[in-house]
PDB file of all heavy atoms in Angstrom:
ATOM      1  N   GLN T 126      -1.011  -0.220  28.811  1.00 94.00           N
ATOM      2  CA  GLN T 126      -0.052   0.103  27.732  1.00 94.00           C
ATOM      3  C   GLN T 126      -0.358   1.349  27.031  1.00 94.00           C
ATOM      4  O   GLN T 126       0.516   2.112  26.695  1.00 94.00           O
ATOM      5  CB  GLN T 126       0.041  -1.116  26.762  1.00 94.00           C
ATOM      6  CG  GLN T 126       0.659  -2.295  27.292  1.00 94.00           C
ATOM      7  CD  GLN T 126       0.573  -3.512  26.402  1.00 94.00           C
ATOM      8  OE1 GLN T 126      -0.116  -3.523  25.408  1.00 94.00           O
ATOM      9  NE2 GLN T 126       1.327  -4.544  26.692  1.00 94.00           N
ATOM     10  N   ALA T 127      -1.689   1.744  26.855  1.00 94.00           N
ATOM     11  CA  ALA T 127      -2.094   2.953  26.285  1.00 94.00           C
ATOM     12  C   ALA T 127      -1.728   4.299  27.148  1.00 94.00           C
ATOM     13  O   ALA T 127      -1.238   5.192  26.705  1.00 94.00           O
ATOM     14  CB  ALA T 127      -3.565   3.027  26.003  1.00 94.00           C
ATOM     15  N   LEU T 128      -1.911   4.020  28.476  1.00 93.00           N
ATOM     16  CA  LEU T 128      -1.464   5.056  29.388  1.00 93.00           C
ATOM     17  C   LEU T 128       0.014   5.192  29.415  1.00 93.00           C
ATOM     18  O   LEU T 128       0.456   6.389  29.446  1.00 93.00           O
ATOM     19  CB  LEU T 128      -1.928   4.678  30.863  1.00 93.00           C
ATOM     20  CG  LEU T 128      -3.451   4.953  31.163  1.00 93.00           C
ATOM     21  CD1 LEU T 128      -3.733   4.240  32.495  1.00 93.00           C
ATOM     22  CD2 LEU T 128      -3.753   6.412  31.243  1.00 93.00           C
ATOM     23  N   HIS T 129       0.649   4.173  29.295  1.00 93.00           N
ATOM     24  CA  HIS T 129       2.208   4.184  29.342  1.00 93.00           C
ATOM     25  C   HIS T 129       2.612   4.956  28.019  1.00 93.00           C
ATOM     26  O   HIS T 129       3.482   5.854  28.127  1.00 93.00           O
ATOM     27  CB  HIS T 129       2.687   2.768  29.300  1.00 93.00           C
ATOM     28  CG  HIS T 129       4.166   2.676  29.465  1.00 93.00           C
ATOM     29  ND1 HIS T 129       5.129   2.822  28.425  1.00 93.00           N
ATOM     30  CD2 HIS T 129       4.897   2.445  30.557  1.00 93.00           C
ATOM     31  CE1 HIS T 129       6.282   2.754  28.941  1.00 93.00           C
ATOM     32  NE2 HIS T 129       6.272   2.395  30.179  1.00 93.00           N
ATOM     33  N   THR T 130       1.945   4.629  26.958  1.00 93.00           N
ATOM     34  CA  THR T 130       2.383   5.369  25.708  1.00 93.00           C
ATOM     35  C   THR T 130       1.996   6.860  25.705  1.00 93.00           C
ATOM     36  O   THR T 130       2.724   7.675  25.266  1.00 93.00           O
ATOM     37  CB  THR T 130       1.584   4.742  24.515  1.00 93.00           C
ATOM     38  OG1 THR T 130       1.908   3.264  24.497  1.00 93.00           O
ATOM     39  CG2 THR T 130       2.025   5.221  23.137  1.00 93.00           C
ATOM     40  N   LEU T 131       0.779   7.151  26.362  1.00 92.00           N
ATOM     41  CA  LEU T 131       0.405   8.541  26.464  1.00 92.00           C
ATOM     42  C   LEU T 131       1.395   9.331  27.193  1.00 92.00           C
ATOM     43  O   LEU T 131       1.726  10.514  26.819  1.00 92.00           O
ATOM     44  CB  LEU T 131      -1.025   8.639  26.991  1.00 92.00           C
ATOM     45  CG  LEU T 131      -1.584   9.963  27.469  1.00 92.00           C
ATOM     46  CD1 LEU T 131      -1.776  10.841  26.129  1.00 92.00           C
ATOM     47  CD2 LEU T 131      -2.930   9.951  28.197  1.00 92.00           C
ATOM     48  N   LEU T 132       1.875   8.926  28.337  1.00 91.00           N
ATOM     49  CA  LEU T 132       2.826   9.622  29.201  1.00 91.00           C
ATOM     50  C   LEU T 132       4.151   9.774  28.509  1.00 91.00           C
ATOM     51  O   LEU T 132       4.753  10.767  28.721  1.00 91.00           O
ATOM     52  CB  LEU T 132       2.884   8.932  30.504  1.00 91.00           C
ATOM     53  CG  LEU T 132       1.734   8.836  31.434  1.00 91.00           C
ATOM     54  CD1 LEU T 132       1.898   7.928  32.625  1.00 91.00           C
ATOM     55  CD2 LEU T 132       1.345  10.225  31.910  1.00 91.00           C
ATOM     56  N   HIS T 133       4.376   8.954  27.574  1.00 90.00           N
ATOM     57  CA  HIS T 133       5.695   9.038  26.856  1.00 90.00           C
ATOM     58  C   HIS T 133       5.532   9.961  25.655  1.00 90.00           C
ATOM     59  O   HIS T 133       6.540  10.374  25.142  1.00 90.00           O
ATOM     60  CB  HIS T 133       6.186   7.678  26.427  1.00 90.00           C
ATOM     61  CG  HIS T 133       7.001   6.975  27.443  1.00 90.00           C
ATOM     62  ND1 HIS T 133       6.442   6.080  28.363  1.00 90.00           N
ATOM     63  CD2 HIS T 133       8.359   6.968  27.662  1.00 90.00           C
ATOM     64  CE1 HIS T 133       7.374   5.645  29.138  1.00 90.00           C
ATOM     65  NE2 HIS T 133       8.549   6.149  28.729  1.00 90.00           N
ATOM     66  N   SER T 134       4.280  10.185  25.176  1.00 90.00           N
ATOM     67  CA  SER T 134       4.136  11.045  24.028  1.00 90.00           C
ATOM     68  C   SER T 134       4.133  12.510  24.333  1.00 90.00           C
ATOM     69  O   SER T 134       4.050  13.317  23.433  1.00 90.00           O
ATOM     70  CB  SER T 134       2.867  10.631  23.294  1.00 90.00           C
ATOM     71  OG  SER T 134       1.723  10.945  24.104  1.00 90.00           O
ATOM     72  N   ALA T 135       4.013  12.848  25.642  1.00 87.00           N
ATOM     73  CA  ALA T 135       4.009  14.238  26.040  1.00 87.00           C
ATOM     74  C   ALA T 135       5.333  14.706  26.559  1.00 87.00           C
ATOM     75  O   ALA T 135       6.048  13.931  27.216  1.00 87.00           O
ATOM     76  CB  ALA T 135       2.936  14.469  27.194  1.00 87.00           C
ATOM     77  N   TYR T 136       5.742  16.013  26.249  1.00 79.00           N
ATOM     78  CA  TYR T 136       7.034  16.496  26.626  1.00 79.00           C
ATOM     79  C   TYR T 136       6.999  17.790  27.348  1.00 79.00           C
ATOM     80  O   TYR T 136       5.977  18.526  27.312  1.00 79.00           O
ATOM     81  CB  TYR T 136       7.882  16.651  25.391  1.00 79.00           C
ATOM     82  CG  TYR T 136       8.528  15.351  24.850  1.00 79.00           C
ATOM     83  CD1 TYR T 136       7.891  14.700  23.749  1.00 79.00           C
ATOM     84  CD2 TYR T 136       9.611  14.851  25.375  1.00 79.00           C
ATOM     85  CE1 TYR T 136       8.410  13.550  23.224  1.00 79.00           C
ATOM     86  CE2 TYR T 136      10.164  13.642  24.853  1.00 79.00           C
ATOM     87  CZ  TYR T 136       9.592  12.973  23.770  1.00 79.00           C
ATOM     88  OH  TYR T 136      10.089  11.891  23.269  1.00 79.00           O
ATOM     89  N   GLY T 137       8.087  18.008  28.027  1.00 76.00           N
ATOM     90  CA  GLY T 137       8.162  19.446  28.684  1.00 76.00           C
ATOM     91  C   GLY T 137       7.017  19.897  29.492  1.00 76.00           C
ATOM     92  O   GLY T 137       6.487  19.190  30.371  1.00 76.00           O
ATOM     93  N   ASP T 138       6.581  21.133  29.144  1.00 81.00           N
ATOM     94  CA  ASP T 138       5.470  21.781  29.838  1.00 81.00           C
ATOM     95  C   ASP T 138       4.183  20.947  29.784  1.00 81.00           C
ATOM     96  O   ASP T 138       3.347  21.146  30.645  1.00 81.00           O
ATOM     97  CB  ASP T 138       5.293  23.135  29.417  1.00 81.00           C
ATOM     98  CG  ASP T 138       6.588  24.085  29.752  1.00 81.00           C
ATOM     99  OD1 ASP T 138       7.311  23.672  30.684  1.00 81.00           O
ATOM    100  OD2 ASP T 138       6.771  25.056  29.105  1.00 81.00           O
TER     101      ASP T 138
END
Side-chain angles (χ1 to χ4, degrees):
Q126 290 173 347
L128 281 170
H129 191 276
T130 307
L131 173 64
L132 293 169
H133 273 89
S134 67
Y136 282 98
D138 295 337

